[in-house]
Structure formats: C-alpha cells, structure tokens
Amino acid sequence: MAPDDVSAGSHLPASADEWIRTPVGEHVEVQSASGGTGVATALVGGAPIRRSDPASCPGPSLGVTLEAWGPAGGPVRGQTAELMITRPMPSVALHFWNDAGGSRHHDAYFPACPGVRRHDDRVTMTQRGTVIVNSRPDSTLNRPGVRIG
C-alpha cells in the first residue's frame, strides 16, 4: 500500500467505505490513518495483513505502542477512552521551545503516568485490535502548550 492510498486525519465513516467499495469491488482495501503533528507520524494506519472494519483504522502504525485508557487509568477495549502512547517513539518531541525545565511539556503530555504520553485523542480499541478515532481535539499545539480540548 502506497502512502497516497489511505485517507488521512481520521477514519472514514462506514458510509464512505461503502461508497468506495460498491463501484470498484470488495478487493479494494479502504484504510485510514490518523496521527499527530506533535509526534510527526501516523499513530494508527494501514496494515497489509489486517483488513480494517468499516469506520476504523486497522491498528497501530509500525513502531507505535498505544492503548486506549479509561477513567481508572488503564487499558480498556470496546469503549471510548483516551489514546495513550505507552512506549517511547523516536519522533516524539522531548521538550517545548523556551521550556528550559521541561515542566510545560511534562504537564501537557505526561501527567497521568510517568513515561506514558497522553495524546488527547478519544479512541475505541476494538476487541479485534482495530482503532476507531472518535475525536481529535488538536488543542495541545497552541504556543504555550496548554491543553484546552
């Protein structure tokens, strides 16, 4: 699958999946990708060995360890929860500009658990491992680094 063969930003709704497959056939794999400017990559996206369900992304991108965390602070499946990156990634920023002590960066992304990056997207991890992106607030990228979403 070439990079231009996916929809980006968030998953397509089930109706768009149907709209694409109906005229061209079931052999076409419709895959979506979603990521973040703050990580400079796609967090979830296409997987040649896993078909996506309508309205979902096939799973985490290569090298991304993510989970959906519920209000109790741990991984959940089958319910809307917050996307958390649970292992370091090479493309994740280490600090904000003009944040010498790193406190603004830490408070924006790591308040829940040391070493676990809070991404702020609301997702549902399905039992099959596909990811439904429910909302993408993108509010952390304001200059002071304050979460408002």
Side-chain angles (χ1 to χ4, degrees), residues 3-146:
D4 57 340
D5 294 341
V6 299
S7 69
S10 190
H11 64 277
L12 291 172
S15 59
D17 186 274
E18 218 174 284
W19 180 81
I20 294 168
R21 288 183 199 226
T22 299
V24 295
E26 287 294 315
H27 67 283
V28 172
E29 179 62 22
V30 179
Q31 295 188 352
S32 298
S34 183
T37 306
V39 292
T41 190
L43 296 173
V44 295
I49 60 171
R50 179 187 293 162
R51 284 188 67 94
S52 61
D53 299 321
S56 72
C57 298
S61 296
L62 185 63
V64 179
T65 305
L66 61 86
E67 297 173 346
W69 280 24
V76 296
R77 294 261 174 149
Q79 59 185 291
T80 300
E82 187 163 10
L83 187 148
M84 305 292 265
I85 301 169
T86 59
R87 292 202 173 182
M89 294 173 47
S91 61
V92 173
L94 300 176
H95 56 82
F96 291 140
W97 286 341
N98 299 321
D99 184 22
S103 62
R104 285 192 350 220
H105 183 262
H106 178 272
D107 293 348
Y109 291 111
F110 297 95
C113 182
V116 176
R117 186 181 194 277
R118 178 180 169 195
H119 193 67
D120 220 18
D121 288 2
R122 303 291 291 165
V123 300
T124 302
M125 295 286 293
T126 69
Q127 296 302 327
R128 207 166 78 78
T130 62
V131 181
I132 299 168
V133 181
N134 299 296
S135 69
R136 303 195 64 226
D138 290 333
S139 64
T140 305
L141 294 177
N142 64 49
R143 287 180 297 228
V146 178

